[in-house]
Amino acid sequence: MARFRRKFCITLITLVLLVLIITVVLKALTPEDSDGVELIQDRKNQIQRDNHKPEQTKMNDSPQPDKDAQLEATLRKYPPPNYYLHVFYYTWYGNPKFDGKYIHWDHPQLPHWDSKVAQGYPQGRHSPPDDIGANFYPSLGAYSSRDPSVIEAHMQQLRIAAIGVIAVSWYPRNMKDDNGDPTDELVPLLMELAHKYHIKVIFHIEPYKGRDEVNMFTNVKYIIDKYGEHPAFFKYRTNTGKLLPLFYVYDSYLMNSEQWAKLLKHTESNSIRDTPYDAIFIALLVEEKHKRDILTAGFDGLYTYFATNGFSYGSTQRNWDSIKAFCEDNNLIFIPSVGPGYIDTSIRPWNFQNTRNRINGKYYETSLSAALQARPDFISITSFNEWHEGTQIEMATPKTSQTVYLDYLPNKPAIYLEITRKWAAIFGGERRKWQE
């Protein structure tokens, strides 16, 4: 009986030792487990640090550490984004795969306002994908603005160009332009992917039906309440130390200055000023007389939008020095708008007089140089992807079809992104000198 107990004890001890040996061996074979824990812990620490930043808000679950590392490695290949360089961006495109139909690519040919002149030009709608409402053809094809892969490709192109901010064409919920569908629902995905690429988002408020000072307040409140805490939402620290959103207001002259003053003047009882929804409001300058209207209305600055030098007072580059002086005298922000060219004869076949040839990038570089000469606060670019008016810097490709398209040859599809990157660096250097 004693011998049996000794054998049992020896067997038990042997089994315990065997288990210990197996455990040690298995630990030795899996060193990556401990590294993974450290990476996850580092990521948690980073998230905790980020939560103390005033402009950072955690919107989604954290990406996997490996994906984080891959993305950061990719981002390091791009030039740093210049947040004083804004580009107008449009989300109104659609195709059958994502939208059930083509949207905007089938843009109608608009008739001339003189019926006698209109009779001499074609009318009707374009028929995508081979016949689109544009004089150039996008490298991504007749895409949908809802396609995540398209948005990602756009963000990559923006980073190639060193652009830090997109000004997104915006209509209120359930409202749209004359040829499109509502687009506000696209904004969350756009902001998520913009943030992924360290790009900020501004809202370019369009002249929606019935726009007035009351619903402008409502819509600004909606934007700030819904998107204002997102880390991609652009905010600018003013010279008074306030950190405020910035809004471009397209066709602001359609409302008179008295109406705008009710929204924008501190002295008005229903003013947006000194409320949680205060912001920097940038008006569109078209005619010279609009300068005084903009001042009287209480706007914080002005922009010129049109990429056609000579088309309007505001877009005429020789006027930019005097416009800048006016802004300095009245404590206004000056944002000249530059573009690579202009051609809209695919949708306005009678509008040849406003065409501005790209001259293989020379027109764009001349515009950028003129903007810098005026020492602006920001520079805006018209546009990233307004294909109908031929102002896009997005990649275009040669296209052979019954419809005749222009292209960027003999340059490559990214030529206008590369020109933008060059001048983003020059602008950054000049801004540093101006501040010395």
Side-chain angles (χ1 to χ4, degrees):
M1 190 70 182
R3 204 163 41 247
F4 174 79
R5 281 198 298 271
R6 275 199 308 275
K7 285 182 178 181
F8 177 80
C9 290
I10 291 168
T11 302
L12 186 61
I13 291 167
T14 303
L15 284 171
V16 170
L17 288 171
L18 184 60
V19 169
L20 287 171
I21 291 167
I22 290 170
T23 302
V24 170
V25 170
L26 286 174
K27 282 188 176 180
L29 289 173
T30 57
E32 69 273 15
D33 287 352
S34 59
D35 289 344
V37 171
E38 289 173 8
L39 284 170
I40 292 168
Q41 188 61 46
D42 286 346
R43 178 62 182 162
K44 286 180 179 176
N45 291 340
Q46 182 63 44
I47 292 167
Q48 289 169 358
R49 286 195 296 273
D50 286 348
N51 284 340
H52 292 291
K53 297 178 183 178
E55 298 176 64
Q56 297 287 326
T57 303
K58 184 182 172 189
M59 300 298 291
N60 279 338
D61 291 334
S62 302
Q64 292 297 319
D66 287 346
K67 289 184 179 179
D68 269 3
Q70 290 172 5
L71 177 61
E72 291 304 319
T74 300
L75 293 177
R76 281 194 293 271
K77 296 176 183 177
Y78 298 124
N82 186 331
Y83 295 110
Y84 293 87
L85 193 59
H86 303 171
V87 69
F88 296 110
Y89 184 91
Y90 294 86
T91 59
W92 55 28
Y93 300 106
N95 62 24
K97 181 178 178 181
F98 284 88
D99 307 88
K101 59 184 177 179
Y102 284 106
I103 305 173
H104 263 270
W105 299 118
D106 64 343
H107 200 290
Q109 293 169 310
L110 303 173
H112 193 277
W113 54 85
D114 184 327
S115 59
K116 291 181 180 179
V117 175
Q119 289 174 7
Y121 293 96
Q123 296 181 30
R125 298 192 78 90
H126 288 278
S127 182
D130 290 331
D131 171 31
I132 64 171
N135 290 78
F136 295 85
Y137 201 87
S139 293
L140 295 173
Y143 58 75
S144 170
S145 297
R146 298 174 186 272
D147 183 347
S149 68
V150 166
I151 300 174
E152 186 123 10
H154 284 172
M155 296 304 155
Q156 291 166 0
Q157 290 186 38
L158 290 161
R159 284 303 307 267
I160 289 170
I163 293 170
V165 181
I166 56 173
V168 179
S169 169
W170 187 82
Y171 285 83
R173 289 170 294 173
N174 303 318
M175 298 186 77
K176 59 187 181 63
D177 70 279
D178 292 339
N179 298 288
D181 284 357
T183 58
D184 178 61
E185 64 193 56
L186 279 66
V187 173
L189 175 61
L190 184 69
M191 295 190 81
E192 285 296 298
L193 290 173
H195 179 53
K196 177 179 175 180
Y197 284 88
H198 300 178
I199 289 169
K200 303 295 183 182
V201 178
I202 281 174
F203 289 76
H204 189 195
I205 300 178
E206 298 282 1
Y208 56 85
K209 186 177 180 180
R211 187 173 70 180
D212 61 26
E213 70 277 13
V214 176
N215 57 46
M216 269 293 296
F217 195 134
T218 302
N219 286 318
V220 168
K221 180 179 183 298
Y222 167 80
I223 291 170
I224 292 174
D225 282 345
K226 186 165 184 179
Y227 306 117
E229 294 304 313
H230 195 288
F233 189 77
F234 179 86
K235 293 179 182 176
Y236 178 66
R237 194 169 297 282
T238 68
N239 53 16
T240 61
K242 290 184 178 180
L243 192 65
L244 296 176
L246 186 150
F247 294 97
Y248 288 97
V249 184
Y250 189 68
D251 279 359
S252 50
Y253 60 86
L254 294 177
M255 268 172 59
N256 64 51
S257 55
E258 289 77 15
Q259 283 181 283
W260 282 117
K262 292 176 183 177
L263 177 74
L264 301 177
K265 288 282 191 177
H266 288 270
T267 53
E268 296 291 331
S269 58
N270 294 319
S271 171
I272 203 166
R273 301 305 189 186
D274 301 320
T275 74
Y277 306 103
D278 198 359
I280 300 163
F281 293 90
I282 307 297
L284 176 62
L285 176 69
V286 180
E287 300 177 31
E288 185 172 9
K289 67 178 182 180
H290 292 157
K291 291 193 296 187
R292 285 293 158 192
D293 293 337
I294 287 167
L295 194 61
T296 304
F299 280 98
D300 303 288
L302 55 87
Y303 74 117
T304 60
Y305 186 76
F306 300 106
T308 306
N309 183 24
F311 171 69
S312 68
Y313 169 80
S315 70
T316 301
Q317 294 163 12
R318 67 173 180 270
N319 295 331
W320 286 353
D321 285 340
S322 64
I323 295 171
K324 169 65 175 179
F326 171 80
C327 288
E328 283 191 334
D329 290 344
N330 294 283
N331 196 30
L332 296 174
I333 294 170
F334 176 47
I335 311 179
S337 303
V338 302
Y342 186 96
I343 183 166
D344 66 355
T345 52
S346 70
I347 64 165
R348 299 181 186 98
W350 38 266
N351 195 29
F352 290 99
Q353 72 271 19
N354 285 318
T355 295
R356 298 295 183 271
N357 194 300
R358 293 184 174 228
I359 325 172
N360 293 323
K362 291 180 182 177
Y363 180 88
Y364 191 29
E365 298 217 51
T366 300
S367 301
L368 285 158
S369 178
L372 248 64
Q373 185 178 327
R375 298 177 65 142
D377 299 285
F378 302 87
I379 293 176
S380 56
I381 299 168
T382 307
S383 64
F384 181 77
N385 63 340
E386 219 296 12
W387 288 91
H388 305 310
E389 297 183 343
T391 61
Q392 78 288 337
I393 62 170
E394 183 183 356
M395 291 185 187
T397 188
K399 173 76 171 173
T400 303
S401 71
Q402 289 185 338
T403 303
V404 177
Y405 292 100
L406 301 173
D407 54 52
Y408 299 166
L409 294 174
N411 297 299
K412 54 188 177 181
I415 178 62
Y416 294 99
L417 305 177
E418 293 172 356
I419 291 173
T420 307
R421 178 177 65 208
K422 168 188 165 182
W423 284 90
I426 295 171
F427 183 31
E430 289 298 303
R431 282 196 76 263
R432 286 188 288 274
K433 290 179 186 176
W434 301 339
Q435 292 173 339
E436 289 174 357

